[in-house]
Amino acid sequence: MKITAPRITKVLKEDRTLDETLLQPGEDLAEYSFRNQRVFEIKTENMSMQDCLFTNSILIGCGIKKSQFSEIIFKNCDLSNMNLSGSGFHRIEFIECKLIGTNFSESALNHIVFSNCKAEYLNLSMSKLKYVSFDRCDLRNSSFENGQYASVNFHESDLKEAEFYRTSLKGVDFSSCDISGIRISPIIGCELRGATVTSLQALELAHLLGVTIKG
């Protein structure tokens, strides 16, 4: 699976702070670099943000709903408990970020990489994911329910007790992940049809499918 990386301008502006930017309703933001910013509990929506780099920044408890994000890299950022619901994300990289409880529900994610992220309780319910990769991420207790997936990859990630209710996982390879205790619909377990798992994972998943295995 080939994911297109963000295309960021080499020379980015640094003449404004992130908090003053978020306090401008409907702000369009392009070609900016934000380093070592600290922003808490600021709420906004209907933003357009593109061609930006965020490094070592904190946006805890903030909300940027119903917005558009494209060509962006978040590196070593803490976006815990942010509300990004109802938004569109295109060519974004989250590298070694904290995304604990971050809300991406009802969003569209295209060509997105989550790499080495601490993302327990991540909320991707009712979202559409296309060309999305989770690489070595902690996704325990996260919600992926009612999702629509195309070319989604989980690699060496922790998915213990993650929720996949009413989400087709056809073509998804879980063989390098910890999927113990994942939650799917009790009827038939159709979410897992077409997914790839190891033989040991299959034994653990058997009880979800109503299967009894005798030695």
Side-chain angles (χ1 to χ4, degrees):
M1 181 177 68
K2 183 174 177 57
I3 296 178
T4 304
R7 301 164 183 167
I8 297 180
T9 303
K10 291 183 178 180
V11 180
L12 298 172
K13 297 169 285 194
E14 298 186 53
D15 59 351
R16 68 193 303 178
T17 63
L18 186 54
D19 55 353
E20 69 180 352
T21 300
L22 296 180
L23 289 170
Q24 300 297 320
E27 177 79 357
D28 290 337
L29 187 68
E31 300 182 1
Y32 270 91
S33 174
F34 296 100
R35 299 176 184 272
N36 305 311
Q37 301 282 310
R38 300 291 184 270
V39 183
F40 299 91
E41 303 294 339
I42 292 179
K43 315 291 184 184
T44 188
E45 58 184 59
N46 297 315
M47 285 190 68
S48 175
M49 189 180 296
Q50 62 183 354
D51 204 359
C52 292
L53 173 63
F54 294 81
T55 310
N56 299 321
S57 294
I58 295 175
L59 294 88
I60 294 179
C62 294
I64 310 178
K65 300 193 304 181
K66 300 177 182 178
S67 297
Q68 297 297 315
F69 303 85
S70 61
E71 319 291 353
I72 297 173
I73 295 176
F74 294 91
K75 188 172 183 180
N76 296 313
C77 292
D78 190 344
L79 312 180
S80 296
N81 296 314
M82 279 195 72
N83 187 351
L84 297 163
S85 61
S87 297
F89 300 86
H90 189 61
R91 289 198 290 267
I92 311 290
E93 291 182 355
F94 297 91
I95 303 170
E96 298 180 346
C97 290
K98 285 186 178 180
L99 300 166
I100 300 170
T102 304
N103 184 3
F104 289 93
S105 64
E106 300 182 80
S107 294
L109 288 76
N110 297 279
H111 292 274
I112 311 295
V113 171
F114 296 88
S115 179
N116 290 292
C117 291
K118 188 173 177 59
E120 302 102 310
Y121 299 97
L122 186 74
N123 185 358
L124 278 161
S125 61
M126 295 178 284
S127 291
K128 298 178 180 179
L129 280 64
K130 186 174 183 180
Y131 293 103
V132 176
S133 177
F134 298 89
D135 186 17
R136 297 185 297 276
C137 291
D138 186 347
L139 296 161
R140 288 174 294 171
N141 295 286
S142 292
S143 175
F144 299 90
E145 61 181 314
N146 282 302
Q148 297 181 36
Y149 289 2
S151 298
V152 175
N153 177 60
F154 294 94
H155 176 67
E156 294 184 2
S157 293
D158 190 342
L159 286 157
K160 287 194 292 288
E161 300 187 358
E163 297 180 350
F164 288 96
Y165 299 118
R166 297 173 295 281
T167 296
S168 173
L169 299 171
K170 183 178 181 180
V172 177
D173 187 345
F174 289 116
S175 60
S176 65
C177 300
D178 186 343
I179 58 172
S180 56
I182 66 165
R183 300 166 185 173
I184 59 174
S185 300
I187 301 175
I188 303 176
C190 59
E191 292 93 339
L192 290 169
R193 187 175 297 135
T196 299
V197 298
T198 67
S199 57
L200 290 176
Q201 287 173 329
L203 288 172
E204 183 174 342
L205 292 168
H207 75 280
L208 296 175
L209 307 178
V211 175
T212 301
I213 298 176
K214 293 185 178 180

Short mmCIF file of all heavy atoms in Angstrom, two decimals, residues 182-206:
data_model
loop_
_atom_site.label_atom_id
_atom_site.label_comp_id
_atom_site.label_asym_id
_atom_site.label_seq_id
_atom_site.Cartn_x
_atom_site.Cartn_y
_atom_site.Cartn_z
N ILE A 182 -10.70 -7.61 21.38
CA ILE A 182 -11.37 -6.66 20.49
C ILE A 182 -12.87 -6.95 20.50
O ILE A 182 -13.31 -8.07 20.75
CB ILE A 182 -10.83 -6.69 19.05
CG1 ILE A 182 -11.12 -8.03 18.36
CG2 ILE A 182 -9.38 -6.34 19.00
CD1 ILE A 182 -10.92 -7.96 16.86
N ARG A 183 -13.64 -5.92 20.18
CA ARG A 183 -15.09 -6.01 20.30
C ARG A 183 -15.74 -5.89 18.93
O ARG A 183 -15.52 -4.91 18.21
CB ARG A 183 -15.60 -4.92 21.24
CG ARG A 183 -15.00 -5.04 22.63
CD ARG A 183 -15.21 -3.82 23.46
NE ARG A 183 -14.51 -3.93 24.75
CZ ARG A 183 -14.40 -2.96 25.63
NH1 ARG A 183 -14.94 -1.78 25.38
NH2 ARG A 183 -13.74 -3.15 26.75
N ILE A 184 -16.52 -6.91 18.59
CA ILE A 184 -17.26 -6.92 17.34
C ILE A 184 -18.70 -7.31 17.64
O ILE A 184 -19.03 -7.66 18.77
CB ILE A 184 -16.64 -7.89 16.31
CG1 ILE A 184 -16.62 -9.31 16.89
CG2 ILE A 184 -15.24 -7.44 15.93
CD1 ILE A 184 -16.16 -10.36 15.89
N SER A 185 -19.55 -7.24 16.64
CA SER A 185 -20.96 -7.55 16.85
C SER A 185 -21.13 -9.02 17.25
O SER A 185 -20.44 -9.89 16.70
CB SER A 185 -21.76 -7.28 15.58
OG SER A 185 -21.65 -5.91 15.22
N PRO A 186 -22.04 -9.31 18.18
CA PRO A 186 -22.20 -10.70 18.65
C PRO A 186 -22.84 -11.62 17.62
O PRO A 186 -22.73 -12.83 17.73
CB PRO A 186 -23.11 -10.54 19.87
CG PRO A 186 -23.86 -9.27 19.64
CD PRO A 186 -22.90 -8.37 18.91
N ILE A 187 -23.50 -11.05 16.62
CA ILE A 187 -24.17 -11.87 15.62
C ILE A 187 -23.22 -12.15 14.46
O ILE A 187 -22.82 -11.24 13.73
CB ILE A 187 -25.44 -11.19 15.10
CG1 ILE A 187 -26.41 -10.93 16.26
CG2 ILE A 187 -26.11 -12.05 14.04
CD1 ILE A 187 -27.65 -10.17 15.86
N ILE A 188 -22.81 -13.38 14.32
CA ILE A 188 -22.00 -13.89 13.22
C ILE A 188 -20.55 -13.38 13.25
O ILE A 188 -19.63 -14.09 12.89
CB ILE A 188 -22.62 -13.55 11.83
CG1 ILE A 188 -24.04 -14.11 11.75
CG2 ILE A 188 -21.79 -14.13 10.71
CD1 ILE A 188 -24.76 -13.75 10.48
N GLY A 189 -20.33 -12.16 13.72
CA GLY A 189 -18.98 -11.62 13.69
C GLY A 189 -18.52 -11.27 12.29
O GLY A 189 -17.37 -11.48 11.90
N CYS A 190 -19.44 -10.72 11.49
CA CYS A 190 -19.16 -10.49 10.08
C CYS A 190 -18.08 -9.44 9.86
O CYS A 190 -17.49 -9.36 8.77
CB CYS A 190 -20.43 -10.08 9.35
SG CYS A 190 -21.23 -8.59 10.00
N GLU A 191 -17.78 -8.62 10.88
CA GLU A 191 -16.74 -7.61 10.71
C GLU A 191 -15.40 -8.24 10.31
O GLU A 191 -14.61 -7.66 9.57
CB GLU A 191 -16.54 -6.79 12.00
CG GLU A 191 -17.69 -5.89 12.37
CD GLU A 191 -18.67 -6.55 13.32
OE1 GLU A 191 -18.70 -7.80 13.38
OE2 GLU A 191 -19.42 -5.82 14.00
N LEU A 192 -15.11 -9.44 10.82
CA LEU A 192 -13.82 -10.08 10.61
C LEU A 192 -13.73 -10.85 9.30
O LEU A 192 -12.66 -11.34 8.95
CB LEU A 192 -13.52 -11.03 11.78
CG LEU A 192 -13.20 -10.36 13.11
CD1 LEU A 192 -13.19 -11.39 14.23
CD2 LEU A 192 -11.87 -9.63 13.04
N ARG A 193 -14.83 -10.97 8.58
CA ARG A 193 -14.80 -11.72 7.33
C ARG A 193 -13.84 -11.07 6.34
O ARG A 193 -13.97 -9.91 5.98
CB ARG A 193 -16.21 -11.80 6.73
CG ARG A 193 -16.31 -12.71 5.51
CD ARG A 193 -17.74 -12.83 5.05
NE ARG A 193 -18.58 -13.45 6.07
CZ ARG A 193 -19.76 -13.00 6.43
NH1 ARG A 193 -20.26 -11.92 5.89
NH2 ARG A 193 -20.46 -13.63 7.36
N GLY A 194 -12.84 -11.84 5.91
CA GLY A 194 -11.85 -11.32 4.95
C GLY A 194 -10.64 -10.70 5.59
O GLY A 194 -9.72 -10.28 4.89
N ALA A 195 -10.60 -10.63 6.94
CA ALA A 195 -9.41 -10.10 7.63
C ALA A 195 -8.34 -11.18 7.73
O ALA A 195 -8.63 -12.38 7.65
CB ALA A 195 -9.78 -9.60 9.02
N THR A 196 -7.09 -10.77 7.95
CA THR A 196 -5.98 -11.70 8.10
C THR A 196 -5.50 -11.70 9.54
O THR A 196 -5.20 -10.64 10.10
CB THR A 196 -4.81 -11.32 7.17
OG1 THR A 196 -5.26 -11.36 5.81
CG2 THR A 196 -3.64 -12.27 7.36
N VAL A 197 -5.44 -12.90 10.14
CA VAL A 197 -4.96 -13.05 11.51
C VAL A 197 -4.04 -14.27 11.57
O VAL A 197 -4.01 -15.10 10.67
CB VAL A 197 -6.11 -13.22 12.51
CG1 VAL A 197 -7.02 -11.99 12.51
CG2 VAL A 197 -6.93 -14.49 12.21
N THR A 198 -3.28 -14.37 12.65
CA THR A 198 -2.45 -15.55 12.86
C THR A 198 -3.30 -16.69 13.41
O THR A 198 -4.44 -16.48 13.84
CB THR A 198 -1.31 -15.26 13.85
OG1 THR A 198 -1.87 -15.01 15.15
CG2 THR A 198 -0.50 -14.04 13.41
N SER A 199 -2.72 -17.90 13.44
CA SER A 199 -3.46 -19.05 13.97
C SER A 199 -3.78 -18.86 15.45
O SER A 199 -4.87 -19.21 15.91
CB SER A 199 -2.66 -20.33 13.76
OG SER A 199 -1.38 -20.24 14.35
N LEU A 200 -2.86 -18.28 16.21
CA LEU A 200 -3.13 -18.03 17.63
C LEU A 200 -4.22 -16.99 17.82
O LEU A 200 -5.07 -17.11 18.71
CB LEU A 200 -1.84 -17.59 18.33
CG LEU A 200 -0.76 -18.65 18.51
CD1 LEU A 200 0.49 -18.04 19.13
CD2 LEU A 200 -1.27 -19.80 19.37
N GLN A 201 -4.22 -15.95 16.99
CA GLN A 201 -5.28 -14.94 17.06
C GLN A 201 -6.63 -15.57 16.71
O GLN A 201 -7.65 -15.24 17.32
CB GLN A 201 -4.97 -13.79 16.11
CG GLN A 201 -3.84 -12.89 16.57
CD GLN A 201 -3.45 -11.88 15.51
OE1 GLN A 201 -3.56 -12.13 14.31
NE2 GLN A 201 -2.98 -10.72 15.95
N ALA A 202 -6.63 -16.49 15.75
CA ALA A 202 -7.87 -17.13 15.34
C ALA A 202 -8.47 -17.93 16.49
O ALA A 202 -9.69 -17.95 16.70
CB ALA A 202 -7.63 -18.04 14.14
N LEU A 203 -7.60 -18.60 17.27
CA LEU A 203 -8.09 -19.35 18.43
C LEU A 203 -8.76 -18.42 19.44
O LEU A 203 -9.80 -18.74 20.01
CB LEU A 203 -6.94 -20.10 19.09
CG LEU A 203 -6.39 -21.31 18.33
CD1 LEU A 203 -5.13 -21.83 19.01
CD2 LEU A 203 -7.44 -22.40 18.22
N GLU A 204 -8.15 -17.26 19.65
CA GLU A 204 -8.71 -16.32 20.61
C GLU A 204 -10.01 -15.71 20.11
O GLU A 204 -10.93 -15.43 20.88
CB GLU A 204 -7.71 -15.22 20.92
CG GLU A 204 -8.21 -14.24 21.97
CD GLU A 204 -7.15 -13.23 22.37
OE1 GLU A 204 -5.97 -13.47 22.10
OE2 GLU A 204 -7.52 -12.20 22.95
N LEU A 205 -10.10 -15.52 18.80
CA LEU A 205 -11.29 -14.90 18.22
C LEU A 205 -12.45 -15.88 18.08
O LEU A 205 -13.59 -15.46 17.85
CB LEU A 205 -10.95 -14.32 16.84
CG LEU A 205 -10.00 -13.12 16.82
CD1 LEU A 205 -9.54 -12.84 15.40
CD2 LEU A 205 -10.69 -11.90 17.41
N ALA A 206 -12.18 -17.16 18.21
CA ALA A 206 -13.21 -18.16 17.96
C ALA A 206 -14.44 -17.95 18.83
O ALA A 206 -15.58 -18.14 18.38
CB ALA A 206 -12.64 -19.56 18.18
#
